[in-house]
Amino acid sequence: MAFVADRLNAVKPSATIAVTQKARDLRLAGRDIISLGAGEPDFDTPAHIIEAAKKALDDGFTRYTATNGLPELQQAISAKFKRDNGLNYKPSQIHVSCGGKPVIFNAFMASINPGDEVIIPTPYWVSYPDIAAMFNGVPVFVDCPTSTNFKLTPEKLDAAITSKTKWLMLNSPSNPSGTAYTETDLMGLAEVLMRHPHVWIFTDDIYEHIIYDGFKFKTLAQVEPALWERTLTMNGMSKAYCMTGWRVGFAGGPDEIIRAMTKVQSQSISHTAAVSQVASVAALNGPHDFIKEHNKVFRDRRDLVVSMLNQTQGLNCPTPEGAFYVYPSCKELIGKTTEDGKCIQTDEDFVTALIEAEGVAAVHGAAFGLSPHFRISYATSTDLLKDACERIQRFCASLR
Ligand code: GLU
């Protein structure tokens, strides 16, 4: 009898994790690699957060907590939603897990029956369709090309909704494109959603604070309060607070879904680490000035990367409003041949040849559902980014 369950056949391993691991392995093998694969800030976790964690360990925060976290953390998250988003979630309407992915996992496990559809605007973050597929959900991809700035339009949303639609995934600022939905964009989508009361909305707001050029972040339940009762508003500590390894993600939502997600988690991971929870309380309740400082650095890097890629033969790179990714098109390079005779037929061929020739790791667009593109994370040092972009320029110029 086969060991692997049928349900796993529809699931691919995470491409972002795979590229990051490949870069690590090649580096260990002695190659000079610049990894622009993983979306992970290169800044350290701020000192006051680390201090709070050290103190938590000294104070004995080493035991189990409630499934949805310490009451102090639920309070801090509830206050965050009020402060940043004008949203009211009681502490009991907060779910806390080990990062964004487990929040999605818990929500889908709690709600998806086989055949239920999940609308996923494309390009999407790699894990949405595969987590849906784990529960025999059916991803419904909606193409959102460069011409609409990678955004879902109300018309396309309306056309994608069927009687089987369970969830709409909304991610702003977006991974991988960095595009961000304005209040007006969200109002357009809300108007459609109000006409389809069976659809739940999952808003992945993890890049909320990483925005540029005065962009005003809004989330759906804030823009249309009538959608609050069927929206799960997700966020987390990893990106803005530089806490990727601490593994804390959270969501606010109506009682029914939070109760169901809590049931799932009570039979799986129980809760995220107590020490990470105390650190998150310090982060959410503490000073936030460092985020602005980081954003200045990210913005300069964005401008550098966009400009260098747009000076590169065959690449076309839109300027994103947020997150720390760019998603250039490599369409003009498809069909070209590398110096060692390999034909670039897909964006996966492109990133494979790029890492082989120049040691730059990037993620192919097919992993995010929109080709031919590739994703670069610019959450790495400016010097390395310059070096990487020069290598990309050299590689692209070498194609015939
Ligand atoms: N969200 C990040 C990325 O897209 C981290 C890796 C992952 O969990 O996919 O690179």
Side-chain angles (χ1 to χ4, degrees):
M1 201 200 294
F3 170 74
V4 174
D6 294 343
R7 109 172 60 82
L8 218 57
N9 292 333
V11 178
K12 302 176 296 304
S14 162
T16 48
I17 302 279
V19 168
T20 312
Q21 190 55 44
K22 183 173 177 184
R24 265 189 219 119
D25 292 345
L26 288 172
R27 212 177 266 145
L28 271 179
R31 288 275 317 270
D32 165 26
I33 299 292
I34 304 179
S35 183
L36 308 181
E40 171 165 47
D42 57 321
F43 302 114
D44 293 333
T45 306
H48 67 279
I49 301 174
I50 300 212
E51 282 313 312
K54 287 182 182 163
K55 182 168 180 317
L57 291 176
D58 288 340
D59 291 350
F61 276 93
T62 56
R63 298 179 189 274
Y64 292 135
T65 72
T67 304
N68 270 327
L70 297 161
E72 298 87 326
L73 180 56
Q74 291 192 321
Q75 281 291 354
I77 294 170
S78 172
K80 172 259 171 296
F81 278 129
K82 185 80 198 155
R83 177 180 68 230
D84 297 341
N85 314 113
L87 290 174
N88 291 314
Y89 290 111
K90 290 186 239 155
S92 61
Q93 293 168 326
I94 304 288
H95 181 73
V96 181
S97 196
C98 305
K101 264 184 218 164
V103 172
I104 303 169
F105 189 96
N106 291 345
F108 283 5
M109 182 172 224
S111 62
I112 290 183
N113 285 315
D116 284 353
E117 294 175 355
V118 180
I119 297 179
I120 304 180
T122 302
Y124 49 77
W125 180 46
V126 286
S127 293
Y128 298 152
D130 292 283
I131 300 178
M134 270 185 214
F135 304 110
N136 299 108
V138 180
V140 173
F141 300 111
V142 183
D143 225 28
C144 305
T146 327
S147 54
T148 54
N149 194 14
F150 303 113
K151 284 183 204 174
L152 179 65
T153 59
E155 298 71 33
K156 283 198 170 180
L157 171 61
D158 206 18
I161 295 174
T162 72
S163 59
K164 292 193 156 179
T165 306
K166 185 75 181 226
W167 287 100
L168 162 67
M169 303 302 287
L170 270 186
N171 173 215
S172 171
S174 147
N175 177 0
S177 70
T179 200
Y181 287 71
T182 62
E183 182 165 11
T184 311
D185 294 332
L186 293 174
M187 278 162 63
L189 299 177
E191 190 272 316
V192 175
L193 291 161
M194 289 302 290
R195 286 191 271 114
H196 299 280
H198 65 292
V199 178
W200 284 78
I201 309 104
F202 190 113
T203 67
D204 176 347
D205 299 346
I206 194 109
Y207 297 97
E208 163 180 16
H209 293 297
I210 304 173
I211 42 178
Y212 312 113
D213 311 326
F215 185 87
K216 298 262 177 294
F217 174 85
K218 296 277 176 186
T219 191
L220 189 72
Q222 173 183 27
V223 166
E224 178 46 270
L227 289 173
W228 183 97
E229 60 190 29
R230 49 194 171 102
T231 300
L232 190 66
T233 305
M234 189 270 260
N235 215 309
M237 308 308 297
S238 291
K239 313 295 180 180
Y241 298 92
C242 313
M243 293 177 68
T244 46
W246 299 77
R247 309 311 301 133
V248 183
F250 54 82
D255 296 299
E256 183 191 8
I257 179 86
I258 298 296
R259 257 199 313 270
M261 291 166 71
T262 308
K263 189 196 265 190
V264 171
Q265 184 151 289
S266 77
Q267 292 292 15
S268 57
I269 59 160
S270 294
H271 59 78
T272 195
V275 64
S276 297
Q277 294 185 39
V278 180
S280 301
V281 173
L284 290 167
N285 293 347
H288 282 71
D289 325 1
F290 64 90
I291 297 179
K292 274 204 191 101
E293 296 309 310
H294 290 175
N295 281 357
K296 281 187 203 149
V297 178
F298 282 143
R299 188 206 50 218
D300 290 349
R301 291 175 183 171
R302 176 201 66 172
D303 293 346
L304 171 86
V305 170
V306 168
S307 150
M308 287 187 78
L309 293 181
N310 278 330
Q311 286 163 38
T312 303
Q313 208 169 310
L315 298 185
N316 190 333
C317 186
T319 304
E321 293 93 3
F324 35 62
Y325 307 107
V326 289
Y327 199 58
S329 162
C330 53
K331 194 170 164 196
E332 290 171 30
L333 299 175
I334 300 299
K336 298 214 180 251
T337 306
T338 61
E339 279 177 335
D340 54 1
K342 288 194 194 98
C343 181
I344 308 276
Q345 285 171 326
T346 62
D347 50 29
E348 188 160 10
D349 293 344
F350 175 81
V351 297
T352 306
L354 175 64
I355 197 168
E356 276 167 16
E358 292 286 353
V360 175
V363 188
H364 51 292
F368 306 100
L370 188 75
S371 292
H373 284 260
F374 63 103
R375 188 192 80 173
I376 279 182
S377 162
Y378 54 86
T380 197
S381 83
T382 309
D383 287 347
L384 275 178
L385 282 172
K386 257 191 216 147
D387 186 356
C389 288
E390 280 164 10
R391 294 185 194 200
I392 294 171
Q393 289 181 337
R394 197 161 54 218
F395 172 71
C396 292
S398 76
L399 297 175
R400 291 287 165 259

